[in-house]
Amino acid sequence: MLAVSLLCSLLLPYAVGATQSGNTYANASQILQDIVKALGGIDALNNITSFSYEALTIYRSQTLTQTYGLKRSDQSVSAAGSQIVSFKEQNNTLQERIDRAYDYNDYWLWAWPELKPSINYSMVLQDGPEGFACFNQGQNSFYADDPTVALGYADAYLTDYLIQQAHQFALPWLVKQFVVAQSLTVSEVQDPFTGVVLLAIGHPGLGLTLVVNNGLPYMVRSYEQHMTLGNSTSDVIFSNYSTFGAVILPQRVQTVYNAFNMIEDFFVDNISINPTWPPNYFEAESNTTRSAPLQSEEYPRSEVHEFFETALWGGPFPFDASNVTVEYPVPEVQAIKSVYIGYADYVQLLIEFDEGYLITDAPAHRSKILLDWVAQNSEKKVVYVVPSHHHRDHAGGVGDFVAAGAKLVVPEIAKEYYEKVNGGQVEFLTYTQEQPFILNDGKVQFRSFWCEENPHAADWSYSVTTAACPTNETNVVVYVADVVNPGFYPGVSTSNALRWDAGYARQFVLSAAQDGVPRSSVIVGTHGSVEGEISNSEALGMVASITGVVYPDIGADTWAEKEKCL
C-alpha cells in the first residue's frame, strides 16, 4: 500500500518556481500532496484497485482527418453513442476493457451507403512487458466487410496507442504512478488561446504530463510529432468532478488535440469503484497472433490515434516497391502514368517532365514506396507533389516528397496548413481560382484547378493532364479524388454512384465545364474498383449524365496551349 510518507520522497531536484491560484510550490511533492488530498486522500486512492466509467448517455467523436475546413475539426464520426470503460490493477499491470457502441453520422453513410450504421465492440488490453490489446467482439473499422466479426489481437502500433490512451484515462491509477515515481519534472503549461498558465508534473517513464487546476487534475498531456501539424499535444481533459464513495472523480472526459480541436467527448453517468467483475472480464479471447506494443516513427501515435478513432485504421501498409503497378491512361504519351501499389483502391498520377516527375496526392507510406520505385526505375526525381486536398489519406505523405526535394503545389488558402511539414522546410508553389497551376514542357501539360466553396474540402482541387498539343483524338485525363469513385465493386456500374455523392460530383462536373475540360476526357479516380486498361476510370460524359448535367461539346483541341504547339 502507498503511504503519505512516500510523497515526501519527491525532493528538490525536480523543483521550479511556479505560481497557481496564489500558492507557490517548491517541488512536485507539494503539488501531489494537494492533488491526493483533493481527490480524497492516499488511503482512499490506495483502496481503488478497479473502477469503471459508465458513459451511458453521451459519447461523441470528431475527426481531424476528414474535415472540410483547414483550421478546425468540423466533421463528426460518432453522432451518438455510449461506452463503459473499465480498469483493473493486477500484478503491477493495468488492465482495461472498453465496451463501446455508436452510430456513424451521415457523412460516412454518403460515402458508403451499404455501411452498417452502427459500431459495437468490446476490447481488452494489458500494459507491461506482456502487453496486448484484443478485440473480443466486433472492431472499430470502416473498412471491415462485417464490423461485427471480432478483430482479435490488434497490431503492434495500435496496441501501443491503446495502452498509452488507457494510461491517460485511468486517473486514480495514474495519480498513484506519479506518487511512487522516482523522477518527475515540474513546469508551467500555457494555453495558447486563453493565455492561462497552469502547473504541470511530467512523468518521463510514462511519457505523460499531469496538468493541475485548483488542486485537481485538469488534463493528462501526451506530446506527439504529427506528420502534417508538427509538434502537437494530445490531451485528455477532466472536469465536472463529483463524489463517488470516498473519492472525487471527473464526470466529463474529453480528448483535445493541440488545445483546440475536441476529438472525443463523453459524460460519465456513474463511476463504479471496486465492482465485482464477471469471470474472465479482462481476458483476451482470440486465436489470432498477439502483438506486443511498439512505437514507430513510421507509424507514430498521432497517426494511429487519428485513423483508429475515425474507424479508418487498417494496420501497417503491407506492400513495397515491387508491388507498384503502372498503367498508361494516354497511350500516345508514355510520360503520363497512373500508378497504384498492391491494389487499385488508391491510384495516383506520375507524370514525367523534362525536369523530373510530378505526383498527384501523397498518402502516407505509399509516398516512400513511390520514391523508392522512382529511384529504382529512373534517373529523374519527383520535383512536384500536388495533393488533391488536405485529408490525411491524401496528404499524409507530403512531407516525404518535400524532404526528398519536391516543391509542394497547393491552393493559396492551404499554404498555412502545410507550413510545418518537414520541420517547416517547404518550397511552395501556390495557385488561385483565377490563376490555376499550369506546367507544360512542350511534350506534356498538367493543370490543377481550385475554386471557392469546392465540394468535399475547402482546398479540394482536381487536375487535368494530356499531351502538350492534344487533338480531338488525344486522351485527356482528369484526376479526381473522393468526389467520383468509379465503380468500386467488380460488376457494379459507375452509374449506381454507390460510393460517392452525386451532388458533390455535379458541382465538380459544372466546374469542369466552366474550366473548359473536354467532354471526351477520362476521369481517373483516386479510389474505385474499375478494372481494365485504366484502373478506376470513367468517361467524364458518363459522370455528367449520372449527375444530370448536359455537358457542352468541348473538344480536346481547345485544350492546346497555342504558343506551345507552334
Side-chain angles (χ1 to χ4, degrees), residues 10 20 23 84 97 120 134 137 187 190 210 239 258 264 288 296 311 313 317 359 366 417 511 541 552 560:
L10 302 170
Q20 180 195 31
N23 296 320
I84 298 176
R97 174 175 171 138
N120 190 336
C134 183
Q137 172 189 312
S187 62
Q190 183 174 29
L210 181 63
S239 61
N258 283 337
E264 290 104 23
T288 59
S296 165
W313 176 253
F317 194 61
I359 185 82
R366 285 178 171 89
Y417 177 81
S511 292

Side-chain angles (χ1 to χ4, degrees), residues 10-65:
L10 302 170
L11 300 175
L12 289 175
Y14 320 117
V16 298
T19 302
Q20 180 195 31
S21 303
N23 296 320
T24 300
Y25 292 89
N27 54 48
S29 67
Q30 293 180 350
I31 303 172
L32 283 169
Q33 284 174 7
D34 273 7
I35 292 173
V36 170
K37 180 178 179 181
L39 292 177
I42 195 65
D43 290 337
L45 286 177
N46 280 335
N47 189 51
I48 299 175
T49 58
S50 64
F51 66 98
S52 65
Y53 298 126
E54 300 165 14
L56 307 179
T57 54
I58 294 177
Y59 170 77
R60 305 187 184 109
S61 65
Q62 291 192 318
T63 173
L64 277 178
T65 70

Side-chain angles (χ1 to χ4, degrees), residues 110-111 113 485 487 492-502 505 546-547:
W110 269 112
N485 298 321
V492 176
S493 170
T494 296
S495 62
N496 289 336
L498 189 64
R499 281 274 310 264
W500 42 285
D501 183 338
I546 293 169
T547 59

Side-chain angles (χ1 to χ4, degrees), residues 326-339 348-350 465 474-477 522 524 533-535 537:
V326 179
E327 298 171 341
Y328 297 92
V330 185
E332 63 270 39
V333 185
Q334 297 285 290
I336 301 174
K337 302 174 177 65
S338 59
V339 297
Q348 297 165 261
L349 295 185
L350 184 65
T465 188
T474 306
N475 275 7
V476 176
V477 177
V522 175
V524 171
E533 285 189 29
I534 310 173
S535 297
S537 64

Side-chain angles (χ1 to χ4, degrees), residues 30-208:
Q30 293 180 350
I31 303 172
L32 283 169
Q33 284 174 7
D34 273 7
I35 292 173
V36 170
K37 180 178 179 181
L39 292 177
I42 195 65
D43 290 337
L45 286 177
N46 280 335
N47 189 51
I48 299 175
T49 58
S50 64
F51 66 98
S52 65
Y53 298 126
E54 300 165 14
L56 307 179
T57 54
I58 294 177
Y59 170 77
R60 305 187 184 109
S61 65
Q62 291 192 318
T63 173
L64 277 178
T65 70
Q66 299 290 315
T67 60
Y68 182 85
L70 291 159
K71 294 185 178 180
R72 65 189 67 210
S73 176
D74 55 20
Q75 186 60 257
S76 69
V77 179
S78 167
S82 63
Q83 67 175 0
I84 298 176
V85 185
S86 308
F87 298 94
K88 181 182 179 181
E89 298 175 35
Q90 181 79 25
N91 299 326
N92 295 318
T93 65
L94 178 68
Q95 297 176 312
E96 180 191 43
R97 174 175 171 138
I98 298 178
D99 295 283
R100 178 180 294 173
Y102 67 87
D103 294 331
Y104 285 106
N105 88 334
D106 60 359
Y107 171 86
W108 306 93
L109 300 185
W110 269 112
W112 201 331
E114 78 280 11
L115 177 72
K116 292 178 174 63
S118 298
I119 289 290
N120 190 336
Y121 70 84
S122 178
M123 184 275 299
V124 295
L125 67 75
Q126 175 182 298
D127 71 357
E130 303 297 323
F132 65 85
C134 183
F135 289 78
N136 288 340
Q137 172 189 312
Q139 53 190 294
N140 194 41
S141 176
F142 182 84
Y143 296 120
D145 292 333
D146 184 355
T148 65
V149 174
L151 175 67
Y153 285 105
D155 63 78
Y157 310 118
L158 179 56
T159 299
D160 170 72
Y161 158 69
L162 290 170
I163 289 174
Q164 177 82 345
Q165 184 195 58
H167 289 170
Q168 287 184 271
F169 276 89
L171 186 59
W173 171 89
L174 183 65
V175 170
K176 289 187 283 186
Q177 303 310 302
F178 273 76
V179 167
V180 299
Q182 297 301 307
S183 176
L184 297 174
T185 62
V186 179
S187 62
E188 292 180 337
V189 171
Q190 183 174 29
D191 188 294
F193 299 98
T194 66
V196 171
V197 176
L198 299 174
L199 282 176
I201 312 171
H203 192 306
L206 293 174
L208 297 174

Side-chain angles (χ1 to χ4, degrees), residues 463-483:
S463 59
V464 180
T465 188
T466 186
C469 304
T471 68
N472 286 336
E473 286 70 46
T474 306
N475 275 7
V476 176
V477 177
V478 186
Y479 184 73
V480 179
D482 291 331
V483 170

Side-chain angles (χ1 to χ4, degrees), residues 373-434:
W373 185 87
V374 169
Q376 293 171 19
N377 291 275
S378 176
E379 294 181 356
K380 294 183 179 180
K381 296 182 178 181
V382 176
V383 292
Y384 301 99
V385 56
V386 189
S388 59
H389 59 296
H390 70 282
H391 290 176
R392 217 76 74 221
D393 55 326
H394 294 265
V398 158
D400 295 326
F401 289 109
V402 171
K407 299 179 179 67
L408 177 55
V409 182
V410 293
E412 179 65 33
I413 65 161
K415 181 179 179 181
E416 181 181 354
Y417 177 81
Y418 289 104
E419 283 183 340
K420 295 182 180 179
V421 164
N422 192 38
Q425 302 301 307
V426 189
E427 184 175 353
F428 286 98
L429 294 175
T430 63
Y431 57 102
T432 63
Q433 181 171 337
E434 293 74 25

